[in-house]
Amino acid sequence: MERYGIIEEKRKREIVLLRGRGCAYKKCSFCDYHYDMCADENENYALNKSVLERVTGAYGELEVINSGSVFELDGNTLALIKSVCAQKGIGVLHFEAHYMYRKKISSLRKYFEGIELKMKLGLETFDYEFRENVLKKGIRETSPEAIAESFDEANFLFGVSGQTVESMLKDVELGLKYFERICINIMCPNSTAVSPDKEVIALFVDRVYPLIHDNDRVDVLLENTDFGVGD
């Protein structure tokens, strides 16, 4: 498992894949990412420390991801992230969180005061019916404005049966309207019952990808390891 990477394209930054106690939601139909967890906070901290020691501050920007939300990392790891940012001159810090944690984000921003915090939401799609009935995201909100209120960035998932060129383009349009940046993840094979739809992926590559490839506000992961972390 590679846990440190450098993103050299578009918004240049370092990225670390840390480990926490595990995703508290754990109901997304397409995700088995939550298996990367450990109930022992001391073991998690030891692992996370070894990863964070590789951060150089080269671009003054760091993205921190884990199998769930930032709020599932232990307190010592959060303190170390804060310390590393101060030591390495990192002024912009990206975290991810499930929508259910939205009311805790303001306190996290206060904890990291002095650092520009960018919070990313795993939204996957604005299509409520598809998001809740197929992907099982647990975001019981239909208003784009309300969904984006506490978040700066969002992840989207494309390449699943039922999606169309029109639905993907609409997600891109709304994503760029309501968020500073978006990241599009193409569905990859995993241990869940949700499989990549090759026809949908081909439509994305042919009809959608060319329109966003050069957009500096859009990251695209055709493979889930394209950021250099994971396995």
Side-chain angles (χ1 to χ4, degrees):
M1 174 80 78
E2 180 56 64
R3 294 186 178 273
Y4 171 82
I6 301 176
I7 300 170
E8 299 281 8
E9 297 181 355
K10 298 183 178 180
R11 188 160 189 165
K12 295 183 178 182
R13 59 201 185 273
E14 292 173 276
I15 184 169
V16 290
L17 170 57
L18 304 184
R19 191 177 69 191
R21 62 180 179 270
C23 177
Y25 179 69
K26 213 177 302 180
K27 297 176 184 176
C28 298
S29 63
F30 59 92
C31 180
D32 61 1
Y33 188 22
H34 55 81
Y35 291 121
D36 182 34
M37 56 80 67
C38 178
D40 189 319
E41 289 193 351
N42 292 327
E43 289 189 18
N44 288 334
Y45 176 69
L47 172 65
N48 296 338
K49 183 174 182 292
S50 70
V51 177
L52 289 165
E53 285 174 346
R54 300 176 66 183
V55 173
T56 67
Y59 296 121
E61 192 159 343
L62 175 65
E63 182 161 351
V64 176
I65 60 176
N66 59 289
S67 61
S69 302
V70 58
F71 299 101
E72 290 143 11
L73 294 174
D74 65 273
N76 287 332
T77 290
L78 288 177
L80 182 57
I81 293 169
K82 188 176 182 179
S83 175
V84 167
C85 287
Q87 293 172 10
K88 303 297 183 179
I90 294 169
V92 181
L93 184 58
H94 303 254
F95 283 131
E96 294 186 7
H98 189 277
Y99 191 71
M100 66 183 180
Y101 287 114
R102 63 194 181 281
K103 293 182 180 179
K104 298 183 67 174
I105 290 176
S106 60
S107 61
L108 188 70
R109 293 189 189 278
K110 289 179 182 178
Y111 180 75
F112 284 94
E113 188 175 3
I115 301 172
E116 187 178 357
L117 217 61
K118 300 296 185 182
M119 294 300 304
K120 183 183 287 186
L121 169 67
L123 177 60
E124 317 313 343
T125 179
F126 279 101
D127 183 331
Y128 180 88
E129 295 300 324
F130 194 83
R131 185 178 71 230
E132 301 310 317
N133 295 333
V134 177
L135 303 181
K136 310 292 185 182
K137 282 300 302 185
I139 302 176
R140 305 297 180 180
E141 177 58 67
T142 58
S143 164
E145 293 90 344
I147 290 173
E149 184 177 2
S150 299
F151 296 88
D152 309 289
E153 306 172 346
N155 281 324
F156 289 84
L157 180 68
F158 292 168
V160 179
S161 296
Q163 293 180 313
T164 64
V165 170
E166 290 72 25
S167 72
M168 290 186 283
L169 286 174
K170 184 175 181 181
D171 276 336
V172 169
E173 178 186 0
L174 291 174
L176 291 173
K177 179 178 180 179
Y178 291 104
F179 296 99
E180 295 176 15
R181 294 184 61 79
I182 62 174
C183 180
I184 295 170
N185 299 276
I186 300 305
M187 183 68 198
C188 295
N190 61 25
S191 63
T192 71
V194 178
S195 300
D197 187 314
K198 294 181 179 180
E199 292 185 4
V200 174
I201 294 173
L203 286 172
F204 170 80
V205 171
D206 182 53
R207 304 274 299 278
V208 181
Y209 188 55
L211 302 177
I212 59 177
H213 178 266
D214 295 325
N215 192 320
D216 286 340
R217 295 172 57 205
V218 183
D219 290 315
V220 179
L221 277 68
L222 296 175
E223 298 289 340
N224 56 16
T225 55
D226 281 351
F227 274 164
V229 293
D231 62 8

